[in-house]
Amino acid sequence: MATTSPPGVGLLKGLGVTIKQMFKPAVTQQYPHVKPDLPPRTRGVIALMDENCTVCMLCSRECPDWCIYIDSHKETVPPAKEGGRARTRNVLDRFAIDFALCMYCGICVEVCPFDALFWSPEFEYSEYDIDKLLHEKGKLREWMDTVPPPPALDEGADAPGEVATAIEKANQELEAAKAKAAEEARAKEQGEQAPAAGDAAAAAPAEPEVKAGEIDQETFDRLIAEGKSERIARSKAKAAYVKKEKQRLKEQAEQQAAAAPAAEEPKVEAGEIDQETFDQLIAEGKSERMARAKAKAAYVKKQKAKLRAEAEQAGGGDAVEAPAAEGSGEAAAGEAAPSAAPRKADIEVEGAGEIDQETYDALIASGKSERIARSKAKAAWVRKKKQEQMDAEGDA
Amino acid sequence: MSDMSTRETVMPGTAPGEDLLIEVTGDGDFQTADMQLSIGPAHPATHGVFRIILEMDGERVVDAHPVIGYMHRGFEKLAEHRDYRQIMALVNRHDWLSGFSNEMGVALAVERMLEMEVPERAQWIRMLIAEWNRILNHLMFTGSFALELGAITPMFYAFREREDIQHMLESATGGRLHFTYNQVGGLKIDLPKGFLRRSAELSAITRARLQDYKDLVLGSDIFQARTVGIGPLSTDVALSYGVSGPTLQATGIPEDSRVTEPYLKYGEIDVPVPVGENGDSFDRFYCLLHRIEASLDVIDQIHDHMPSGPVNVKLPKQVKAPEGATYVRTENPLGQLGYWLESDGGRTPWRLKMRTPSFSNVAVMPHLLRGTLVPDAISVLGSVFFVVGDIDR
Amino acid sequence: MSIAEMANAAAGLAQFSPAPSLLEIGDSFWLSAVLKIAVVLAVFFVVPLVVGYMEHKVMGHQQARLGPMEAGPHGSLQLVADGIKFIQKEDLIPSAADKWVFAIAPGVAMVPAILIFLVLPLGPGIWGVDFELGLFYALAVGSVTTLGILMGGWASANKFSLIGGLRAAAQLIAYELPLILAGIAVALQAGTLSLVGIVEAQSTFFIPGTEINLWYLFPQILGFGIFFIAAMAELARPPFDMPIADSELVFGYMTEYTGIKYAMYMLTEYAGMVSMSALMVVLYLGGWQLLPGVPMPGCGGSGNIFDCNALGVGLGVAVTLGKIMLLTFLMVWARTTYPRLREDQLQRFSWLVLVPLSLLNLAIIAVAKGVF
């Protein structure tokens, strides 16, 4: 099989290859002076959006290395509306990933149903001490700042699930809007003056947004003084700024909330079952497990109704429930409403999942990732809708 | 020499559970015995923890005893306690140079048991990534074989090429070695924008750069002097040992699962299979280098065929293969990879038996090494391409 | 031709008067000796480092890399840093080793490498001593280095080291012969074994019947090729690095060496590259002359290459070093390009190709010398 060129020619050709390469630029990347340009999908480090975590334990269970440690406790949240039932909520106490054990398979990120885990291409977290590779909740949260938006998909790809549903929704909405417009036009013809929905929306109080992108100068200076690189200092300072702002807003909200009379949530002991319901369900041929679960729910419902009725008799019905804390501090800050007004949470808003374009654009402009902007815009939309309805009721 | 006597003496403890018989020649004060040279488990030529004990007469190898198992990680047992998603992340680690092809084998096995219809686009993308993975693997061995023969430069060139390809694959899969891109029923996520354009670009670049290897290594007189006629493997012996991949193709058989038993969409395209003549080190390397070219041909064809559409199917929360068993064989970069998957209907396999190419290729080593010189032994060791993790599993 | 005959040939030059070295300080023997030793040691320790740096960079760029970049500007102090590191490393001696032999072997290898520099003319008047038997001395002393390698290989109590050491010895025996035969052809043409004399002879060698001055490279291009290949083989430079052969023998005779002793072996190798290159410069490339037939700036008149002022001396040294760099570059280039030969191929190549060719070369020169 050997080539049959005259002896020596092969040797000279070899010399030609190396000497030619000598005058071409080298491909060496001068790391750490020059940072590598890593694609957004790179599995560098796992970031945790702890607000999104519901302690479902899926990641921890699916992890092939069992390197995710989660601790939590249960908290009872007062019912969302009068006559509702108290919910128990898992509160995340500890979320830690041991990167000394992690095999970077990405299963945890993949299985997370609540978008709490993300991959970030950051990789510079090696340590001299293996213990330090155990990243706790705070550190994992910091990595969130480095998570890039997902790359656009190939032209031949199907649209991802969220986008596909969003498009479908948008189409439906368009239809609805058209129908509504037609209806309004008819209404106008009849000469009736209906309060324009748009005005109400404009009058809605603006959400005290924390503007991202700004940095906390104090933190920045301190980190620079500590000898951190500018890039790291900047990202940490940004995080610090956001944190501080949130803290401030939360405090404001708490002050407002403190001004309103707090109310005791009627406590109901869970775990008991409503025998009547249970027997009925069993008779209907349901499985015992299901019957038990439903009976429990029935018990809780009954108990609460009873307690509330008692409370109303005793206190003359002036008990006002504290607003339900929804997710992050921002939301809480935004929704601390005067006690006398009908609570926003009570108002049913249909069509969650739509986004508030204005908020969305503003967030995108302020440099938020598309994902974050979308979720916030959704929340903003819901808020606006509620405000509208509330205003409408107020007018009435 | 009538006054010379030959007897055998037992040398203990050189191989686990197996004492070696050493022939001692000569009488009185002048006794000679063969020298034993233990190459590995930590030796530059064994790239990994592979050990081979050479019995030598001077520099000539009288016999060779591969000692395997230093890197046994119990993959088959581990797989029995992992669900299929976790197995994807596991199997791309036994042959760490062919991560994607390994994952694909398991995915194909489960899909076959579930009688699942995998979307067309997913199948083509799987082929595309698998071929790039094959090129990555072959580039590595191109470099390392040259390095074992003392030429350092091809290794750096190979890594230059690998770097570009790995970066591209990373943009799609997030990984550089352990891609974990497969899932049962397709792929985790579609390719990012611009991937196919970059892939076409790199295909042209890599093809152009292959000429460097041909000039620097394949055409070099010294390289040929070191490899032509060294460690010849006959077709019969190769088949009896179950050798596959470039090592088998070098003996003149165009055996390639992609052609002889097409899986995915390999049946719809033309897969060139380079073959050698004598099965010597040179032919093995020749096949390896030309398989890169063949893979580039395949990649170019895949670009022309790439359909649009979904890349995965909706899966139940817990993928369970139905009760039964199946055997899937794929053409891995190093040869034939087989997964025998037996399920009792649970979420984990009841048994996952691996038939790895490196294991069979290494089995033929003693046969090839007998009678060679130490430098030739290295030439054979480097050209019977193996990955230690793939041997020991 | 035997060694005795060589000695006779040298003795035949009855009125040999050594060319004076510029490194003499008056009549003081001791001061002159100190100065000479200082110059030789400086050359021995500095030039190999420069060559090593050149090798780092050339190999790097030929392999699409940058080479060292961190220690000093563009990594220029990398080898100094390496040297400091080697000094700090633990000096390990295997328990089964032949301790004394193991300890002195690197020295035995290194000292002859220093001694060669004593006779190498680096510029007009820049040499330690102008021996009558300079070439003989350089080749003889240079081959002692292999003894140090063999000792190290034997004393390490390691099979890889032993094979490496034996390979080195076999290689030396095989390649010393073509090396000497090629050298003899030069001595024959120059009519002297003195290295300074050979340089001088090249400045006065004309193509017969013309006025065109030529270095010995041109009439003895075959001899130069043989000498170059044999020198690389003697130095165990790739593609003839079987005594080290890292993929076969781990690191050959150096497998068990650490720290400063390892550094001594490495320095010996690079000093060997420099001294062999310097020898080739003297034998074939006209020593410190800039171009054949062109008078050196700063030196008196055409053909006179000794009577130089400071500029001429400086330029001469620079030219010699430049030529050494060029030759070592060729060695590095071969290293990046070629795989390693097999030991038996190496032997066959020497005995069946190089030795007959060098005899042929010698015969041609002898006949030509007789005819013209």
Side-chain angles (χ1 to χ4, degrees):
Chain A
M1 293 276 355
T3 48
T4 48
S5 61
V9 172
L11 295 180
L12 291 177
K13 272 188 180 171
L15 287 175
V17 172
T18 40
I19 199 79
K20 254 188 271 165
Q21 179 58 46
M22 198 167 123
F23 297 105
K24 286 181 200 161
V27 295
T28 312
Q29 292 176 4
Q30 282 293 81
Y31 180 83
H33 307 299
V34 180
K35 300 285 176 193
D37 176 27
L38 294 171
R41 283 186 191 172
T42 299
R43 299 199 292 267
V45 70
I46 298 169
L48 170 73
M49 185 79 143
D50 55 353
E51 296 93 321
N52 286 357
C53 181
T54 61
V55 202
C56 68
M57 306 293 279
L58 267 180
C59 51
S60 184
R61 259 185 297 165
E62 274 292 325
C63 177
D65 295 336
W66 302 295
C67 70
I68 302 179
Y69 308 109
I70 299 177
D71 285 342
S72 69
H73 67 272
K74 279 199 158 90
E75 222 169 50
T76 310
V77 181
K81 60 178 175 183
E82 221 150 305
R85 57 201 166 99
R87 291 158 195 270
T88 49
R89 193 171 69 96
N90 288 316
V91 179
L92 188 62
D93 294 328
R94 178 181 186 225
F95 192 106
I97 298 180
D98 190 347
F99 285 106
L101 287 178
C102 177
M103 65 194 255
Y104 298 84
C105 63
I107 288 178
C108 51
V109 177
E110 199 188 323
V111 297
C112 180
F114 298 104
D115 276 358
L117 291 172
F118 298 91
W119 276 114
S120 156
E122 284 297 312
F123 59 95
E124 291 166 307
Y125 53 93
S126 48
E127 298 282 358
Y128 285 106
D129 186 354
I130 199 167
D131 293 350
K132 291 183 187 155
L133 281 173
L134 182 67
H135 289 197
E136 292 290 343
K137 195 166 73 174
K139 186 143 191 194
L140 292 172
R141 182 64 182 83
E142 278 172 31
W143 290 122
M144 266 318 287
D145 298 334
T146 64
V147 175
L153 291 184
D154 185 69
E155 287 82 354
D158 265 10
E162 309 95 88
V163 177
T165 30
I167 290 171
E168 203 180 309
K169 270 234 170 84
N171 284 337
Q172 284 176 2
E173 202 181 318
L174 198 66
E175 292 291 310
K178 272 182 190 164
K180 201 178 175 192
E183 206 171 305
E184 270 176 13
R186 234 181 297 123
K188 238 177 197 169
E189 273 170 25
Q190 288 169 1
E192 283 178 21
Q193 291 294 319
D199 293 353
E207 152 81 355
E209 266 310 332
V210 177
K211 220 164 136 200
E214 310 233 349
I215 63 166
D216 186 51
Q217 197 58 38
E218 196 183 318
T219 316
F220 183 75
D221 292 345
R222 182 169 54 79
L223 286 167
I224 289 289
E226 277 173 18
K228 300 273 182 185
S229 83
E230 200 199 295
R231 199 172 53 78
I232 289 180
R234 186 171 300 280
S235 72
K236 291 210 171 171
K238 270 186 197 170
Y241 173 81
V242 172
K243 221 183 252 169
K244 273 195 186 169
E245 280 299 283
K246 282 188 185 170
Q247 188 62 34
R248 198 171 56 79
L249 289 169
K250 205 184 257 173
E251 275 165 17
Q252 271 181 9
E254 273 167 16
Q255 281 167 7
Q256 284 177 14
E264 275 293 307
E265 154 74 358
K267 277 265 157 46
V268 177
E269 225 158 285
E272 309 239 348
I273 64 166
D274 185 52
Q275 198 58 39
E276 195 184 322
T277 316
F278 182 75
D279 293 346
Q280 188 197 334
L281 285 166
I282 290 288
E284 277 174 21
K286 301 272 180 188
S287 78
E288 198 198 301
R289 197 171 55 80
M290 193 175 284
R292 187 175 301 279
K294 291 210 169 170
K296 269 188 196 169
Y299 172 81
V300 170
K301 217 184 246 169
K302 275 191 185 170
Q303 279 305 92
K304 279 195 185 168
K306 206 173 83 186
L307 285 170
R308 200 168 285 121
E310 282 172 11
E312 265 169 29
Q313 275 174 359
D318 60 354
V320 177
E321 286 156 313
E326 268 187 24
S328 66
E330 294 161 58
E335 288 179 30
S339 55
R343 289 193 316 101
K344 276 200 219 170
D346 289 350
I347 301 165
E348 290 292 329
V349 178
E350 277 173 33
E354 307 205 16
I355 65 164
D356 183 54
Q357 198 58 38
E358 199 182 317
T359 316
Y360 180 76
D361 291 345
L363 285 166
I364 290 288
S366 71
K368 294 279 184 185
S369 80
E370 204 199 12
R371 198 176 45 73
I372 289 178
R374 186 173 301 280
S375 71
K376 293 210 169 168
K378 272 185 196 171
W381 187 85
V382 171
R383 261 195 310 273
K384 272 192 188 172
K385 275 280 151 186
K386 286 183 181 176
Q387 192 64 39
E388 270 169 40
Q389 292 189 13
M390 234 155 56
D391 290 354
E393 273 175 42
D395 288 353
Chain B
M1 291 209 191
S2 56
D3 58 338
M4 292 271 265
S5 66
T6 300
R7 64 180 188 281
E8 285 183 334
T9 180
V10 175
M11 293 279 280
T14 39
E18 181 194 336
D19 294 335
L20 295 173
L21 287 177
I22 301 291
E23 208 169 78
V24 180
T25 320
D27 249 347
D29 292 337
F30 193 72
Q31 288 191 337
T32 61
D34 290 338
M35 178 166 89
Q36 280 191 22
L37 189 65
S38 168
I39 295 189
H43 183 278
T46 59
H47 40 86
V49 279
F50 177 65
R51 182 177 175 209
I52 190 156
I53 299 171
L54 301 179
E55 279 178 47
M56 301 202 308
D57 176 15
E59 281 214 28
R60 195 163 289 280
V61 177
V62 179
D63 206 353
H65 308 268
V67 183
I68 62 171
Y70 285 93
M71 215 182 185
H72 178 61
R73 289 165 287 171
F75 271 103
E76 293 177 5
K77 196 70 196 168
L78 283 173
E80 289 169 20
H81 298 274
R82 298 279 186 285
D83 66 25
Y84 294 104
R85 175 155 44 201
Q86 292 172 332
I87 288 176
M88 295 294 160
L90 183 72
V91 291
N92 62 20
R93 282 156 160 85
H94 64 81
D95 174 357
W96 47 76
L97 292 177
S98 339
F100 189 84
S101 312
N102 300 343
E103 297 166 15
M104 202 170 71
V106 175
L108 287 174
V110 181
E111 283 155 13
R112 189 178 291 178
M113 288 183 79
L114 285 166
E115 291 172 5
M116 188 181 265
E117 204 57 51
V118 179
E120 289 250 319
R121 185 176 167 82
Q123 300 198 27
W124 286 100
I125 295 177
R126 274 183 182 176
M127 279 162 64
L128 178 64
I129 310 265
E131 291 307 317
W132 276 121
N133 195 186
R134 191 183 312 278
I135 291 171
L136 277 181
N137 177 302
H138 287 355
L139 279 172
M140 181 77 201
F141 281 102
T142 305
S144 76
F145 182 41
L147 187 68
E148 269 149 36
L149 294 179
I152 25 186
T153 308
M155 192 72 174
F156 289 102
Y157 290 177
F159 269 89
R160 176 185 63 189
E161 268 74 282
R162 275 175 61 89
E163 189 59 40
D164 287 344
I165 299 169
Q166 280 183 321
H167 191 265
M168 175 182 73
L169 294 184
E170 192 180 14
S171 76
T173 67
R176 290 160 60 85
L177 275 181
H178 307 308
F179 301 109
T180 332
Y181 193 41
N182 276 293
Q183 68 179 33
V184 174
L187 300 161
K188 284 194 174 163
I189 187 169
D190 208 306
L191 301 174
K193 199 172 179 164
F195 183 91
L196 292 175
R197 193 172 29 105
R198 179 69 183 145
S199 171
E201 259 172 43
L202 266 185
S203 166
I205 293 173
T206 314
R207 198 184 289 277
R209 283 177 177 170
L210 277 182
Q211 190 57 40
D212 280 2
Y213 300 96
K214 287 179 185 163
D215 286 345
L216 196 58
V217 188
L218 204 63
S220 166
D221 295 14
I222 298 179
F223 176 79
Q224 292 182 6
R226 287 296 307 277
T227 53
V228 174
I230 304 301
L233 181 63
S234 70
T235 311
D236 296 343
V237 176
L239 287 177
S240 68
Y241 276 95
V243 168
S244 57
T247 315
L248 178 65
Q249 287 158 10
T251 66
I253 304 183
E255 155 64 34
D256 189 320
S257 304
R258 291 174 295 171
V259 177
T260 53
E261 196 181 275
Y263 51 97
L264 294 174
K265 298 283 176 186
Y266 280 114
E268 295 180 19
I269 53 174
D270 175 35
V271 183
V273 181
V275 290
E277 280 166 12
N278 313 315
D280 55 11
S281 289
F282 181 86
D283 282 0
R284 285 190 281 270
F285 186 76
Y286 173 90
C287 286
L288 187 85
L289 204 56
H290 284 80
R291 272 166 67 108
I292 299 181
E293 231 163 10
S295 282
L296 289 172
D297 289 346
V298 172
I299 284 169
D300 290 346
Q301 293 176 57
I302 293 172
H303 288 149
D304 297 339
H305 281 82
M306 187 63 73
S308 57
V311 291
N312 44 31
V313 294
K314 195 141 178 61
L315 290 175
K317 249 192 178 142
Q318 192 71 257
V319 177
K320 287 177 182 168
E323 203 172 327
T326 188
Y327 181 75
V328 167
R329 63 176 195 149
T330 55
E331 184 70 11
N332 246 36
L334 296 178
Q336 212 176 88
L337 174 78
Y339 285 116
W340 168 260
L341 177 66
E342 199 164 346
S343 171
D344 56 0
R347 51 188 278 274
T348 64
W350 184 79
R351 176 88 168 96
L352 183 72
K353 168 81 179 81
M354 299 171 184
R355 182 256 185 247
T356 52
S358 301
F359 182 80
S360 311
N361 291 1
V362 162
V364 81
M365 202 79 88
H367 175 85
L368 292 178
L369 289 182
R370 269 174 220 130
T372 57
L373 297 170
V374 171
D376 291 341
I378 302 300
S379 164
V380 170
L381 214 60
S383 66
V384 177
F385 310 106
F386 64 88
V387 168
V388 181
D390 203 29
I391 303 171
D392 295 346
R393 305 200 280 269
Chain C
M1 191 181 277
S2 70
I3 290 170
E5 278 173 292
M6 276 178 75
N8 284 337
L13 300 160
Q15 289 87 33
F16 180 79
S17 54
S21 169
L22 282 179
L23 302 175
E24 303 281 351
I25 301 174
D27 289 336
S28 164
F29 171 78
W30 289 110
L31 276 179
S32 307
V34 167
L35 182 64
K36 284 174 183 172
I37 289 170
V39 168
V40 163
L41 284 182
V43 170
F44 175 79
F45 282 110
V46 174
V47 181
L49 291 191
V50 177
V51 168
Y53 177 63
M54 186 270 291
E55 177 172 41
H56 276 162
K57 283 294 176 185
V58 167
M59 278 179 73
H61 284 281
Q62 287 187 344
Q63 294 170 345
R65 303 182 285 125
L66 290 172
M69 290 294 284
E70 297 298 319
H74 277 257
S76 49
L77 298 178
Q78 183 63 45
L79 285 167
V80 178
D82 281 350
I84 294 169
K85 182 194 75 181
F86 281 131
I87 292 169
Q88 293 168 342
K89 290 256 172 183
E90 185 184 0
D91 185 23
L92 282 175
I93 299 179
S95 59
D98 194 339
K99 296 198 177 47
W100 274 103
V101 182
F102 186 85
I104 62 169
V108 173
M110 194 171 85
V111 170
I114 303 176
L115 291 179
I116 294 186
F117 284 92
L118 211 58
V119 294
L120 293 174
L122 298 176
I126 308 297
W127 54 77
V129 61
D130 178 18
F131 265 146
E132 191 177 354
L133 289 172
L135 178 60
F136 174 77
Y137 167 86
L139 292 176
V141 166
S143 57
V144 176
T145 294
T146 308
L147 189 61
I149 292 173
L150 188 55
M151 284 165 67
W154 169 257
S156 295
N158 179 318
K159 289 169 188 169
F160 293 116
S161 300
L162 180 61
I163 295 176
L166 288 176
R167 281 184 181 184
Q171 211 160 307
L172 176 92
I173 293 166
Y175 279 84
E176 196 77 345
L177 196 58
L179 192 78
I180 290 172
L181 287 173
I184 286 171
V186 173
L188 189 65
Q189 191 175 359
T192 175
L193 277 170
S194 152
L195 293 176
V196 179
I198 289 172
V199 173
E200 192 183 6
Q202 290 187 59
S203 71
T204 54
F205 170 69
F206 300 98
I207 297 177
T210 63
E211 290 286 294
I212 302 169
N213 177 222
L214 277 184
W215 295 339
Y216 285 173
L217 172 68
F218 301 100
Q220 300 211 22
I221 183 82
L222 182 62
F224 174 72
I226 294 166
F227 198 98
F228 188 82
I229 292 172
M232 286 219 292
E234 260 213 65
L235 294 167
R237 290 287 301 171
F240 305 108
D241 60 338
M242 291 69 128
I244 296 171
D246 51 336
S247 60
E248 300 160 24
L249 302 180
V250 188
F251 219 65
Y253 58 89
M254 285 189 264
T255 303
E256 297 289 355
Y257 280 95
T258 57
I260 193 71
K261 288 181 190 148
Y262 172 80
M264 280 163 80
Y265 269 133
M266 290 308 279
L267 189 60
T268 305
E269 183 185 333
Y270 283 85
M273 277 172 78
V274 174
S275 58
M276 277 296 177
S277 300
L279 211 52
M280 279 184 267
V281 169
V282 169
L283 297 182
Y284 297 101
L285 297 178
W288 59 86
Q289 298 166 72
L290 197 55
L291 284 169
V294 178
M296 290 270 291
C299 292
S302 172
N304 189 343
I305 54 168
F306 293 106
D307 183 17
C308 297
N309 58 21
L311 172 71
V313 171
L315 199 65
V317 172
V319 166
T320 307
L321 290 179
K323 287 176 182 172
I324 290 174
M325 279 307 192
L326 189 72
L327 290 173
T328 46
F329 169 75
L330 291 180
M331 292 184 187
V332 172
W333 189 8
R335 180 181 178 188
T336 47
T337 307
Y338 296 136
R340 174 184 310 125
L341 277 162
R342 211 168 57 210
E343 189 64 29
D344 62 317
Q345 290 167 340
L346 176 97
Q347 298 285 341
R348 198 167 290 129
F349 184 60
S350 170
W351 295 107
L352 297 184
V353 179
L354 288 187
V355 172
L357 278 181
S358 55
L359 285 171
L360 178 70
N361 178 54
L362 186 59
I364 292 171
I365 299 301
V367 169
K369 181 98 176 165
V371 170
F372 300 108

